[in-house]
């Protein structure tokens, strides 16, 4: 169980809203993929350095490197899951959007899930 992402507060009860199970794992993956290494004071290695890929041409080498970054970050920082596959959809790259799909299995329940993370590769793209 963990805090919801983004953190949400219940003013009346005076508590932080919590999430659990698959929602907690998915939100954890969202945070991991959107955090740059060095952003967390107590965990300077935490994150996935996808921002370094901004404005780079989408070559086969770059896509393989992005997959490796994602798999390595999940291996080190999300021990509750095993990654089944990471795929990158570049069909909308002309509009500045790359879709990263992570298929994973939650170890505790042996349940399979997938998450799609939108990665904007061009300046001025929506966030």
């Amino acid at each position: 169980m963990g805090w919801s992402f983004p953190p949400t507060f219940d003013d009346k009860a005076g508590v932080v809203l919590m999430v659990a199970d698959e929602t907690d794992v998915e939100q954890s993956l969202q945070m991991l993929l959107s955090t740059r290494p060095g952003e967390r004071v107590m965990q300077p290695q935490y994150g996935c350095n996808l921002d370094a890929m901004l404005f780079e041409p989408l070559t086969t080498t770059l896509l393989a490197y992005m997959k490796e970054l994602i798999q390595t970050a999940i291996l080190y920082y999300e021990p509750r899951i095993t990654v089944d596959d990471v795929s990158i959809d570049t069909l909308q790259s002309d509009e500045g959007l790359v879709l990263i799909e992570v298929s994973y299995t939650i170890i505790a329940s042996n349940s399979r899930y997938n998450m799609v993370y939108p990665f904007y590769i061009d300046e001025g793209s929506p966030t």
Side-chain angles (χ1 to χ4, degrees):
M1 180 171 270
W3 285 24
S4 64
F5 180 76
T8 308
F9 301 93
D10 183 348
D11 293 335
K12 292 178 183 172
V15 297
V16 177
L17 296 182
M18 305 296 276
V19 293
D21 303 324
E22 60 273 353
T23 303
D24 188 25
V25 170
E26 184 171 342
Q27 289 183 1
S28 176
L29 289 173
Q30 291 281 344
M31 284 188 291
L32 180 61
L33 295 180
S34 63
T35 301
R36 288 183 212 125
E39 283 185 328
R40 288 199 170 183
V41 176
M42 299 301 286
Q43 291 184 345
Q45 300 301 315
Y46 179 88
C48 189
N49 200 18
L50 292 176
D51 285 352
M53 309 310 139
L54 289 173
F55 311 112
E56 294 292 328
L58 289 175
T59 63
T60 305
T61 303
L62 181 71
L63 294 174
Y65 179 62
M66 288 173 69
K67 286 181 186 181
E68 182 63 28
L69 277 176
I70 294 163
Q71 289 173 333
T72 302
I74 293 171
L75 175 68
Y76 284 115
Y77 296 106
E78 190 46 78
R80 297 175 289 181
I81 68 170
T82 55
V83 176
D84 300 323
D85 188 40
V86 175
S87 61
I88 300 177
D89 179 356
T90 60
L91 292 176
Q92 299 177 34
S93 63
D94 290 344
E95 291 122 34
L97 176 64
V98 172
L99 298 175
I100 299 169
E101 182 178 353
V102 180
S103 300
Y104 59 94
T105 302
I106 296 179
I107 296 169
S109 63
N110 200 30
S111 300
R112 293 183 180 188
Y113 296 91
N114 69 348
M115 178 199 78
V116 177
Y117 179 79
F119 180 64
Y120 298 96
I121 57 173
D122 286 336
E123 183 177 25
S125 297
T127 56

